[in-house]
Amino acid sequence: DIISMTPTTAQSGNNTISMTLKNAGYNTIGAQTFTLKYKINNGSWVSESFVVSATWNPGETKTHNISTQWNVTKDTAYQVCVKIDPQLTNDADTIDELCQTVWVGMKGTYTIGVGTYDFQSFSEAVDALYIRGVLDTVIFNVQAGTYTDNVNLDGVITGPTGSYPVTFNGQNKAN
């Protein structure tokens, strides 16, 4: 079974698709070759062979990086699907496919303000942090105005390993 995939947050340029597989059955899987695939949105499947060279015991996991990288060219959300094909011998699971939405992570400077700015409120900006994740330093310049929303920054924001600051700067402050 496919139990997870990465990236959960993409970056512009090349991204490696990685799958963690688990023998979730009760039987040992013997040496065999099968195909791992991925596709982006409704595109064509990208595939390569994966060889299990020794027995794969129940409960054991294996992680594999697909060698053909995914080249991200737009700052948007993508539907990423990974798949084992064909079904493994002795695998009771008939569908070995996992799909998830992957956003290009945030980095750089954004503006919060009423009008034609990146975000109309603090809530929109914070929601974007949680949905898209952070790839590098993020700065929110806040236009002068009255903001009535309440936000909470106590959850996990996805992104690569490392700590990147998220800063909110008030513009045109009177004091």
Side-chain angles (χ1 to χ4, degrees), residues 1-139:
D1 295 336
I2 301 170
I3 59 173
S4 67
M5 63 172 280
T6 59
T8 54
T9 300
Q11 62 184 356
S12 294
N14 288 330
N15 291 262
T16 299
I17 303 289
S18 179
M19 298 179 224
T20 300
L21 313 170
K22 181 177 184 178
N23 179 353
Y26 297 108
N27 299 316
T28 297
I29 297 173
Q32 60 183 290
T33 300
F34 55 94
T35 303
L36 297 179
K37 299 180 174 185
Y38 80 85
K39 72 175 179 178
I40 309 301
N41 297 330
N42 292 318
S44 300
W45 288 99
V46 175
S47 60
E48 71 183 36
S49 294
F50 180 73
V51 177
V52 176
S53 57
T55 57
W56 190 1
N57 295 314
E60 287 182 342
T61 60
K62 298 183 182 294
T63 299
H64 181 73
N65 297 330
I66 301 285
S67 60
T68 303
Q69 293 189 316
W70 162 37
N71 186 25
V72 173
T73 58
K74 294 182 181 175
D75 186 4
T76 188
Y78 295 88
Q79 182 71 14
V80 180
C81 295
V82 293
K83 179 178 183 177
I84 301 172
D85 187 43
Q87 179 181 356
L88 297 177
T89 305
N90 295 327
D91 184 4
D93 202 3
T94 58
I95 300 174
D96 283 316
E97 184 172 325
L98 174 66
C99 296
Q100 66 188 31
T101 301
V102 176
W103 283 86
V104 174
M106 297 179 74
K107 63 180 180 178
T109 303
Y110 302 88
T111 303
I112 300 172
V114 177
T116 57
Y117 296 106
D118 300 305
F119 301 100
Q120 301 297 302
S121 67
F122 281 90
S123 295
E124 283 183 15
V126 170
D127 286 349
L129 287 171
Y130 284 114
I131 291 168
R132 295 179 55 186
V134 172
L135 289 177
D136 205 334
T137 300
V138 174
I139 299 170

